[in-house]
Amino acid sequence: MTAAEIRHQFLEFFRERQHLIVPSASVVPQDDPTLLFTNAGMNQFKPYFLGLAKPAATRIADTQKCIRVSGKHNDLEEVGVSPYHHTFFEMLGNWSFGDYFKQDSIRWGWELMTEVFKLPKDKMYATVYETDDEAEHIWRSETDIIPSHVLRFGKKDNWWSMGDTGPCGPCTEIHIDRGPEFDSDPNAFVNSGSRRYIELWNHVFIQFDQQADGKLVQLPAKHVDTGAGLERLATVLGGHKSNYDTDLFQPIIQAIVERTGKAYSDDESSIPHRVIADHLRCLTFAIGDGAMPGNEGRGYVLRRILRRAARFGRKVELHEPFLYKLVPVLVDTMGDIFPEIKDRHAHIARVIEAEESHFGKTLDRGLEQFEHVIAEVRKSKSTEIPGEEAFKLYDTFGFPLDLTQLLARENELTVNEAGFAKSMEQQRARARAAGSFKMGREELVIDGKLPETEFAGYTSLAVYAEILPLHFDPENGRLVFTSKLTPFYVESGGQVSDTGLLEIHVGDELMVAHVTAVSRRDKAVLHSATLEGISLVVQDAVKQKKWLKAYLTVSREHRLPTEHNHTSTHLLHAALRAAFGDHVHQAGSYVGPDYLRFDYTHFNKPTHEELINIETQVNDWIRGNYSVSPKVMPLKQAQSLGAMALFGEKYGDEVRMVEIADSDLIVSRELCGGCHVNRTGDIGMFVIKAETSAAAGVRRIEALTGESAWQYMAEQRAKVEEFVEILGSAGSDPAEKMKLALDDKRKLQKELEYLRAQAAGSAMQSLVAKAQQVGSMRVIAEKVSAQNLDQLKEMGDALRESLGSGVGVLAMIVEDKPSLVVVVTPDLVKAGWDATPIVKELAKPLKGGGGGKPHLATAGGKDASALDEVLATAAAVIEQMNPAKA
């Protein structure tokens, strides 16, 4: 059973039981600051368990993208070594919010596992909490599980809680005994950590509210939260030994085999294959959901994972950036169920390639430094790398601590973690003592307290002001300065920072700099600018802490479209609430000069007609040329006027309210510190470009305004005109003609597939006539004309059906690279024959490797010149593989 089939059957099972199937939330949490990544299926539903929001349905099911990179659930060093540990995984789950409880949850869990998935009942076990008599009774009375296979365990294994206080409850878990071939230890049993007995599905019954004193109070509504890892289910249902043997990983692993020529196996030699495949999945989904590699938080986690994958790439001779080339393989495998990675595959690949290229420049030099370090350690008769040396590798060469620890283990050494942490803290303390701050990707140290900066940008895009140069780098002309007055807006509330120009006048000298970034330090605004040329005046001002007279100008090309987009988010918010109701709230935004993104709370996907109506409403308000009036007032007064506030935002006693209205109508009132147009007519035009899901209960709209909207519409019109010309549908409906053309195409494709199948069958019948007789079976080894590996496999399937009893080897050469497919007829598979070792042996002279299943296996190679010899000796190789001789 494939992973796709398992996923589909799981969701359909619960759809038939009146569950609303919701999309996966982003792996980058939208509104939970306690999480770096979404690490469980229930994360997106926490507001419902806490009573902060109401679900759209009382029964919900989904498959959730999850990332776990630390803690008891996933030690990074186990990934690639263990057959089950991953950084990224899918969690299948179903939820009941005050609807069904233990009885239905347990009955359905047993039914799905044993009746739908057909798992052997005598191998199944269920665990319950040590005092949960109700759950044990349901298992024994409502299912036909072997009574002795219902086991009780304590809090460590069968109790769930959200924290020290709050919702909690007992769990019941479904386990399977995979047999003594997985662990022959007679003491192996459920919850012993044995690979023989593994958990498949956890059902959490949230029925208590734990008080601060430890007392458990019954919740007024009881909930169910279940989770089953898809990777583990695919392993068990597919009869595999490892998650990496499933079709979730094998396409990536086989792509690695083809690129490296390094065959894949279950032993330690293929740890790099498994690490790279796992880490590629994690990086692709995280970047696809908006995360970026960086130096802090989730960004640093991704950077660590990517660099770990790059290091393992070196182990299989991948010295150039390679991860980004594997992204299309993953997209082909999972892009249909998670279309966001298909839509953003180019962006994902670019980010990974840039990060790989950057680290690749320092990795080899860092490895040289590491060799020097371990030489010194061994010279001193020690087995531990000093913490300060590990920190130097981190600080100078970008080696995360876990990468240094990995290298140390390979050399039978350890790393002094306490010394590393001490060096890290010393650097942070030095930065804190000096007053460090970040500007872009660099960290600068500024001494002393800076004066408060007044913002003039609401009313002026250019001001005369005195500036204080704080840092100047003559090599790249980078200047960091502050001022007492600035027109530059600092990124806040979704609106990006301004850019512009700085002009410094000293006597007859005029110095011009491009302001590229601004940030806050306490109440001061710091500006980063690039100066054209070297200035002794600026260098002297930095040394003497001297104020200079300057003229600061915000880029109109940057600010004005940003203002258009910001006011449009207020209009869009109002239109959404008018269309869908007062439950709609802003859940995040991006406001830049290029486009706007607006996340809002709403469960249902808007229809095309609803989006058209919302877009029309916003444009009606734009054409109405309403006044946009910012007003500063006490918070209570703004609240009494019905002003909208951002959920979770903290406000002072005095706030700025932006009102869009005229004498007859109030369109919008929102608390906002951003920059806006004077009248809605200034926006010109509003176009919705995309509407997608951002998380469970959160939708996302991307839109364009002003000139960008006009250009977009002009491009769309040009495309339509081009389609009309291509279709020859001038004067008729191009959409109808396109439908007819697509229908014709589908019919032709079906006819072509039928003809190909017939041709392949006929061709294989001709090959069968050339078969060699080897003992009681027939062997065929021939080169065929195939366009790609899929066609070669189709021919292999046709050959297996025509062969009767035997083994077939088909080969092709595409772009000077040889490929093989080996097929084994069903009777020989039952007798113990396996195509995988045969294809691996045949691929060796081709300088390649491969794998597959007993009935069909494939291989790729690098040396096409050896192919004829491989085919000539195939019968002898196959005869040697006879299981009867083993």
Side-chain angles (χ1 to χ4, degrees), residues 277-292:
D278 172 273
H279 289 6
L280 173 75
R281 283 162 40 102
C282 179
L283 291 164
T284 297
F285 279 96
I287 295 169
D289 279 347
M292 292 287 284

Side-chain angles (χ1 to χ4, degrees), residues 820-867:
L820 298 173
V821 63
V822 173
V823 294
V824 179
T825 54
D827 62 314
L828 295 185
V829 171
K830 287 182 181 179
W833 285 81
D834 190 337
T836 299
I838 297 173
V839 84
K840 286 182 177 180
E841 187 64 27
L842 293 173
K844 287 179 181 179
L846 303 176
K847 297 180 180 179
K853 297 181 178 180
H855 73 283
L856 185 149
T858 62
K862 296 179 179 179
D863 186 4
S865 66
L867 185 60

Side-chain angles (χ1 to χ4, degrees), residues 84 123-125 173-178 182 189-191 193-201 231-233 235-236 240-241 243:
Y84 306 120
K123 299 297 183 182
M124 307 301 289
Y125 286 78
E173 296 178 342
I174 300 175
H175 297 248
I176 188 169
D177 174 5
R178 304 199 69 195
F182 286 89
F189 199 50
V190 173
N191 283 339
S194 169
R195 286 181 58 193
R196 173 176 174 175
Y197 297 88
I198 62 172
E199 175 201 335
L200 294 179
W201 200 358
E231 290 76 8
R232 188 169 291 192
L233 279 175
T235 297
V236 171
H240 304 297
K241 292 183 178 180
N243 292 1

